[in-house]
Amino acid sequence: MAREDGVVDLELDRAHSARMYDYFLGGTTNFPADREAAARAMTVFPSILATARINRRFMHRSTRLLAGDLGMTQFLDIGTGIPTSPNLHEVAQGLRPRAHVVYTDNDPIVLTHARALLESHPAGRTAYVQADVTDPEALLASPALLDTLDLSRPVALSLNALLHFVPDDRGAHHIVDRLKSALSSGSTLTITHATPDFDPEGIQRLTTAYQAAGTPGQARTRDEVARFFDGWHLLRPGITATHLWRPDPEDDSTTVTSTEASCYAGVAQKP
């Protein structure tokens, strides 16, 4: 956040989920507080490195489906995180060079790396919005978003590895309903979400570790995740563990377990 003198406070003295995720993916944009919190998370849930990588591969596969098979040319990625190539816009614009992509995140350090997110294909366009998903009205009213995306046309909304950081008492389902209502027919919703269904004790320990680091969290069951898609048509294979959602033939999905994934994934389209 910005201080009164206009300088952005990167809050490096406290762990942030985006920088912890960067650490799990092998990135370098993380700091002692993030690494300490990540180490505690790894101690109580050793599979988290695999979980993060499985989630990242799902993002690549789902984006290829949306841009390729469905022909989507507008993308809104909320909870972007630290840029890790290939980013969503690189995958989408590799198939649809004219695609427009808006990234948003609430971690101030992501803003300092936004240039990597803005390296659009010359035919397309990307933008970055500093915003918090818990304030969807402000996010949807952002001039950068409205200047980049035409909300009267289909938009591919991505909420990957985000909603488990928005507990029910912060209105997670209401937030998603508001975002869905702003999108036109033909738009899509992509979600990955941590679940206790495969490893209840491990996920409870992991949630507690995040909460101890100052990050709220709530893993959800399959039925609770399904509620986010209410009213929209789920694309096959529906809601599955992330590694089982349309795996690539050359992917290592056969060596991955649902316990390691510990996340559900789904993509739905607005009628």
Side-chain angles (χ1 to χ4, degrees):
M1 62 181 64
R3 303 195 312 238
E4 292 183 0
D5 58 8
V7 176
V8 175
D9 180 5
L10 298 182
E11 301 177 346
L12 303 185
D13 58 336
R14 61 181 294 268
H16 192 286
S17 58
R19 299 193 296 265
M20 291 171 66
Y21 189 67
D22 174 73
Y23 179 80
F24 296 142
L25 291 174
T28 59
T29 308
N30 46 77
F31 301 90
D34 308 306
R35 293 190 285 272
E36 291 169 10
R40 290 192 292 271
M42 292 165 61
T43 298
V44 300
F45 190 72
S47 297
I48 196 165
L49 294 178
T51 303
R53 287 163 171 76
I54 294 166
N55 185 78
R56 187 72 181 176
R57 289 197 292 270
F58 164 81
M59 184 275 284
H60 295 155
R61 297 196 307 275
S62 59
T63 303
R64 289 198 300 269
L65 170 80
L66 294 170
D69 295 0
L70 272 64
M72 301 296 289
T73 58
Q74 297 195 109
F75 294 80
L76 173 56
D77 183 39
I78 303 178
T80 298
I82 310 296
T84 305
S85 187
N87 294 300
L88 186 148
H89 76 278
E90 295 172 291
V91 177
Q93 292 177 346
L95 294 166
R96 302 287 172 183
R98 296 182 180 276
H100 285 203
V101 179
V102 172
Y103 291 109
T104 82
D105 204 283
N106 71 342
D107 183 355
I109 204 167
V110 178
L111 177 62
T112 70
H113 291 267
R115 180 172 297 178
L117 297 171
L118 301 178
E119 292 178 351
S120 173
H121 187 286
R125 187 172 179 184
T126 65
Y128 178 76
V129 176
Q130 183 77 15
D132 195 313
V133 71
T134 60
D135 188 357
E137 299 299 336
L139 190 159
L140 291 168
S142 164
L145 184 152
L146 296 175
D147 191 43
T148 307
L149 303 179
D150 178 359
L151 298 185
S152 70
R153 296 176 49 243
V155 172
L157 170 62
S158 294
L159 302 172
N160 287 323
L162 173 66
L163 292 171
H164 44 242
F165 297 121
V166 186
D168 285 346
D169 61 10
R170 300 194 72 182
H173 286 93
H174 172 75
I175 290 166
V176 175
D177 286 344
R178 176 65 187 97
L179 294 170
K180 289 162 63 180
S181 71
L183 304 181
S184 69
S185 175
S187 294
T188 60
L189 172 63
T190 302
I191 291 175
T192 62
H193 197 300
T195 182
D197 288 356
F198 306 117
D199 184 2
E201 293 182 359
I203 288 297
Q204 180 56 56
R205 292 193 300 267
L206 180 62
T207 300
T208 300
Y210 268 92
Q211 290 171 341
T215 299
Q218 181 177 342
R220 292 183 171 93
T221 65
R222 188 186 186 283
D223 286 346
E224 290 171 324
V225 173
R227 279 187 55 202
F228 290 117
F229 295 106
D230 280 355
W232 291 34
H233 173 67
L234 278 163
L235 305 185
R236 67 171 182 85
I239 299 171
T240 70
T242 42
H243 66 298
L244 298 178
W245 195 93
R246 301 196 185 197
D248 292 328
E250 67 276 12
D251 207 350
D252 61 357
S253 60
T254 57
T255 65
V256 173
T257 68
S258 294
T259 298
E260 289 175 310
S262 282
C263 280
Y264 281 121
V267 180
Q269 190 163 32
K270 188 171 186 175

